[in-house]
C-alpha cells in the first residue's frame, strides 16, 4: 500500500520505463532490455541526453538517460562508474544506442546495471535521440496537464457537494466514479466506516478486509493507495483506493483530493467521525431489517465494520425513547460487542454479538437493566438469540414489531426485556393494523367517540381497558376522583352504546381501540 500524508505534486504524473519502450518511435530502434528487467515499472520523470562520464551530478532523479557511450569506449572503469553514478542519482533507466562506440552491449556496463538494479536498454538500429526526447516530453506535459485538469475537476465536484450539504456517501460515490475502483473509509482501528464503488468489487475487498487491514505496506504501483484523514493536529482515519488501475501518481492525486474534501466535510459537520460510524451501522442494520439485500451479502460489511461474526450468537434488539449515543455508552460499560443504529419512528436497533459459550439471556437482561438505569421509561424489545447470520434480519424485524407493539402503552406492566410472548393481543393487532376489515371494525366500534374527536374520553377508555377495567387505578392515573371517573365511563358507554361490564363487549371495544391506536401510529 502507498501511504500519502502530503498533497501530491502535480509534476508527478509520469510514464514508466516499460511504457516508454512501447512507443512507436522507440520500437523503430529495436530496443532490447539487457539488465534490470525487473525494474521496468520505474517512473520516467524526464528524458536527458548525456555523454559526460559524470552525468550523475546533473540529475535530480527519475530521468531516463540516453547515450551513445562515445566518451566511455575503451575504458571499462569509466563504463562501470557511469552506471554507478546513474544509480546514485536515482535515474530511472539508461538507453545506449549501439553503433560506432559500442557495436554490441558492453558487458561491464551490463553487469554493473544488473548489480544496481538499473534498467539498461540498448537500441540495435540507429535512432535520433531528439525524436525520443520530443515524444516523451510531449507526453509528460500532456499527462501533467491532464493531472491538473483532473485535480481541479475532482476538487470542484467535491466542493460543490460539500457546500450543498451532501452526505458522506455522495462524496465517496464521486471519488469512486473518478478512480474506477472501490473506495473505503476507515477509522484508526481500520474499521470500515463507509464504502463506494461497484457493489460486487466492494464486497470482494471487504471479504478479505482482515488481511488488507493488517497489511503494513506494499509495492509502489500495486493499486492500493491511501491518504490519511487528519485535521487540527489529529489523525482520525484514512481513505483507500483499493486496486486502482491507473498510474500511481494519478491515484495519489485522487486520494489526496478526496482526503482534503473529507476533512473539510468533517470540520463543517462538527464531530462527524463518530457520526460516520453511526451512519455505517445505520446503513448496515437498515439493510438487514429491510431484507432488500440478502444477509449473506452483508456479512463482509459487518465483519469489516468490526462486528465479530464467526461462531457467534446474535441478539437482535430494538429500544425506544433513547438516544443511540446512550446505547453506545451502555455497550462499552457492559463490555459487549455490537452495532447501534437509529431506525425510523424513534426506534434504535442494537445487534449484540456474543461468544457461543456466553449466556445470551443473562447478558441481554444486564444490558437492558443498564439501559433502564439511563432512561427509565424506555422499552427494550428483543427477539430470541440467533446463531445463524442469515436469521438476523428476521430477528431484527421481530424485535421491531415487539417494540412497536409494546411502546404504545405506558400502562402495561412490561418486563425489562420485552419479547414476542409479552405483547399478546397487542402484537397481533399491530400485525393486522393495515387490513381494511380491521380498520372498518375499529371505526364502527369507536364511532361514538371518534366522531366527537374526544381525545380525553379515548384516553380514559384506553387506560381503563389496559388496566383490566380497574376503576381505582384508572382514577389514580388520570388524577380524578372515583365519582368523576364513573361519570366519564357512563358517558363513554352511552356514546358507544355498549356495556363495559360485559366481558365480550369490553373485549370488542378494547380490540377496536388497539387497532385504532396501531393505525394512528
Amino acid at each position: 500500500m502507498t501511504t500519502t500524508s502530503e498533497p501530491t505534486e502535480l509534476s508527478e504524473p509520469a510514464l514508466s520505463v516499460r511504457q516508454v519502450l512501447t512507443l512507436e518511435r522507440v520500437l523503430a530502434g529495436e530496443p532490447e532490455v539487457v539488465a534490470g528487467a525487473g525494474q521496468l515499472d520505474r517512473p520516467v520523470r524526464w528524458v536527458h541526453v548525456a555523454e559526460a562520464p559524470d552525468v550523475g551530478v546533473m540529475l535530480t532523479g527519475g530521468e531516463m538517460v540516453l547515450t551513445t557511450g562515445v566518451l566511455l569506449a575503451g575504458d571499462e572503469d569509466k563504463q562501470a562508474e557511469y552506471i554507478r553514478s546513474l544509480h546514485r542519482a536515482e535515474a530511472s533507466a539508461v538507453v545506449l544506442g549501439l553503433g560506432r562506440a559500442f557495436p554490441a552491449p558492453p558487458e561491464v556496463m551490463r553487469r554493473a546495471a544488473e548489480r544496481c538494479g538499473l534498467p539498461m536498454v540498448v537500441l540495435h538500429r540507429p535512432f535520433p535521440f531528439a525524436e525520443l526526447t520530443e515524444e516523451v516530453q510531449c507526453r509528460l506535459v500532456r499527462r501533467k496537464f491532464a493531472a491538473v485538469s483532473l485535480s481541479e475537476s475532482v476538487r470542484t465536484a467535491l466542493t460543490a457537494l460539500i457546500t450543498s450539504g451532501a452526505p458522506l456517501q455522495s462524496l465517496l460515490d464521486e471519488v469512486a466514479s473518478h478512480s474506477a475502483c472501490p473506495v473505503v473509509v476507515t477509522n484508526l482501528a481500520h474499521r470500515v466506516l463507509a464504502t463506494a464503488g461497484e457493489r460486487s468489487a466492494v464486497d470482494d475487498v471487504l471479504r478479505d478486509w482482515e488481511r488488507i487491514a493488517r497489511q503494513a505496506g506494499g509495492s509502489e504501483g500495486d493499486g492500493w493507495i491511501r491518504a490519511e484523514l487528519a485535521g487540527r493536529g489529529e489523525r482520525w482515519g484514512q481513505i483507500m483506493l483499493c486496486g486502482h488501475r491507473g498510474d500511481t501518481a494519478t491515484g495519489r492525486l485522487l486520494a489526496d483530493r478526496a482526503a482534503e474534501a473529507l476533512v473539510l466535510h468533517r470540520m463543517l459537520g462538527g464531530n462527524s467521525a463518530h457520526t460516520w460510524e453511526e451512519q455505517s451501522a445505520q446503513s448496515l442494520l437498515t439493510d438487514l431489517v429491510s431484507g432488500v439485500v440478502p444477509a449473506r451479502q452483508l456479512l463482509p460489511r459487518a465483519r469489516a465494520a468490526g462486528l465479530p461474526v464467526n461462531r457467534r450468537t446474535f441478539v437482535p434488539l430494538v429500544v425506544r425513547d433513547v438516544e443511540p449515543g446512550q446505547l453506545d455508552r451502555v455497550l462499552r460499560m457492559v463490555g459487549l460487542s455490537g452495532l447501534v443504529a437509529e431506525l425510523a419512528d424513534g426506534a434504535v436497533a442494537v445487534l449484540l454479538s456474543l461468544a457461543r459459550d456466553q449466556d445470551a439471556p443473562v447478558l441481554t437482561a444486564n444490558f437492558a437493566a443498564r439501559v433502564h438505569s439511563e432512561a427509565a421509561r424506555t422499552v427494550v424489545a428483543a427477539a430470541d438469540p440467533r446463531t445463524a447470520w442469515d436469521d438476523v434480519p428476521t430477528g431484527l424485524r421481530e424485535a421491531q414489531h415487539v417494540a412497536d407493539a409494546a411502546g404504545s402503552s405506558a400502562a402495561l406492566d412490561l418486563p425489562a426485556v420485552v419479547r414476542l410472548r409479552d405483547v399478546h393481543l397487542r402484537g397481533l393487532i399491530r400485525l393486522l393494523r393495515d387490513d381494511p376489515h380491521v380498520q372498518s371494525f375499529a371505526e364502527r366500534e369507536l364511532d361514538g367517540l371518534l366522531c366527537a374527536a374526544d381525545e380525553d374520553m379515548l384516553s380514559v377508555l384506553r387506560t381503563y381497558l389496559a388496566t383490566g377495567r380497574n376503576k381505582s387505578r384508572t382514577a389514580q392515573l388520570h388524577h380524578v376522583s372515583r365519582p368523576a371517573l364513573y361519570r366519564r365511563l357512563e358517558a363513554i358507554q352511552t356514546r358507544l352504546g355498549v356495556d363495559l361490564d360485559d366481558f365480550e363487549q369490553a373485549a370488542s371495544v378494547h380490540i377496536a381501540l388497539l387497532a385504532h391506536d396501531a393505525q394512528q401510529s
Side-chain angles (χ1 to χ4, degrees), residues 46 58 65 97 100 110 134 157 196 206 221 229 285 321 359 392 426 438 445 457 500:
W46 208 243
M58 309 174 191
V65 176
R100 185 178 57 180
R110 191 197 67 77
E134 178 184 9
L206 297 185
L229 301 178
L285 291 184
D321 303 318
D359 192 324
V392 168
R426 187 178 301 274
V438 175
E445 288 290 303
M457 288 289 192
L500 293 178

Side-chain angles (χ1 to χ4, degrees), residues 395-475:
L396 283 168
R397 289 192 289 270
E398 179 183 314
Q400 191 175 32
H401 165 63
V402 172
D404 191 25
S408 63
S409 178
L412 288 175
D413 185 16
L414 296 172
V417 180
V418 187
R419 302 186 186 278
L420 191 59
R421 61 179 176 269
D422 299 314
V423 294
H424 305 295
L425 178 62
R426 187 178 301 274
L428 176 63
I429 294 300
R430 287 274 164 166
L431 288 175
L432 300 175
R433 63 184 173 184
D434 294 326
D435 188 296
H437 295 91
V438 175
Q439 295 172 355
S440 176
F441 169 76
E443 292 285 334
R444 184 172 62 253
E445 288 290 303
L446 302 175
D447 182 63
L449 293 180
L450 297 181
C451 289
D454 195 330
E455 286 298 326
D456 182 61
M457 288 289 192
L458 280 173
S459 178
V460 171
L461 176 62
R462 186 179 293 112
T463 304
Y464 179 61
L465 296 173
T467 57
R469 295 182 293 171
N470 187 321
K471 294 183 176 65
S472 297
R473 180 61 176 157
T474 302

Side-chain angles (χ1 to χ4, degrees), residues 508-519:
S508 181
V509 172
H510 194 185
I511 292 172
L513 187 57
L514 290 176
H516 169 73
D517 289 345
Q519 292 157 14

Side-chain angles (χ1 to χ4, degrees), residues 309-314 354-359 386-388:
V309 295
N310 295 331
R311 296 187 56 77
R312 306 291 287 188
T313 297
F314 303 101
L354 310 176
R356 290 283 176 87
D357 58 354
Q358 291 181 296
D359 192 324
R386 264 67 175 170
T387 56

Side-chain angles (χ1 to χ4, degrees), residues 206-321:
L206 297 185
R207 198 170 290 115
D208 199 27
W209 186 251
E210 291 182 6
R211 181 190 64 80
I212 294 170
R214 289 195 302 268
Q215 189 172 336
S219 60
E220 188 92 1
D222 63 0
W224 296 88
I225 301 171
R226 66 184 182 184
E228 300 296 332
L229 301 178
R232 297 173 178 169
E234 177 189 7
R235 288 177 59 249
W236 47 273
Q238 66 180 4
I239 181 170
M240 295 182 61
L241 306 185
C242 304
H244 181 255
R245 297 305 178 193
D247 63 79
T248 302
T250 301
R252 285 205 200 110
L253 184 64
L254 281 169
D256 286 336
R257 292 296 172 261
E260 291 170 4
L262 297 191
V263 170
L264 179 60
H265 185 275
R266 181 194 183 209
M267 292 173 64
L268 293 178
N271 185 24
S272 60
H274 182 65
T275 301
W276 288 4
E277 291 181 349
E278 288 183 347
Q279 290 175 356
S280 175
Q282 183 176 31
S283 173
L284 175 59
L285 291 184
T286 299
D287 285 346
L288 280 169
V289 170
S290 69
V292 173
V293 182
R296 182 58 51 183
Q297 293 184 19
L298 297 172
L299 188 59
R301 285 172 57 187
R303 184 182 289 111
L307 184 73
V309 295
N310 295 331
R311 296 187 56 77
R312 306 291 287 188
T313 297
F314 303 101
V315 181
L317 304 170
V318 171
V319 186
R320 284 199 169 275
D321 303 318

Side-chain angles (χ1 to χ4, degrees), residues 6 79 101 114 124 131 154 180 201 262 289-290 323 357 364 413 514:
E6 298 295 333
Q79 294 170 22
E114 193 66 50
H124 288 279
E131 290 187 10
V154 172
L262 297 191
V289 170
S290 69
E323 294 296 322
D357 58 354
T364 303
D413 185 16
L514 290 176

Side-chain angles (χ1 to χ4, degrees), residues 15 66 88 131 135 138 144 189 194 216 278 283 302 331 334 337 345 349 366-367 370 395 412 444 465 472 497:
L15 294 167
L66 311 181
R88 289 193 296 269
E131 290 187 10
E135 175 77 9
C138 286
K144 179 178 178 180
E278 288 183 347
S283 173
L331 276 179
V334 299
S337 298
D345 302 325
N366 291 342
F367 174 79
R370 289 288 187 133
L412 288 175
R444 184 172 62 253
L465 296 173
S472 297

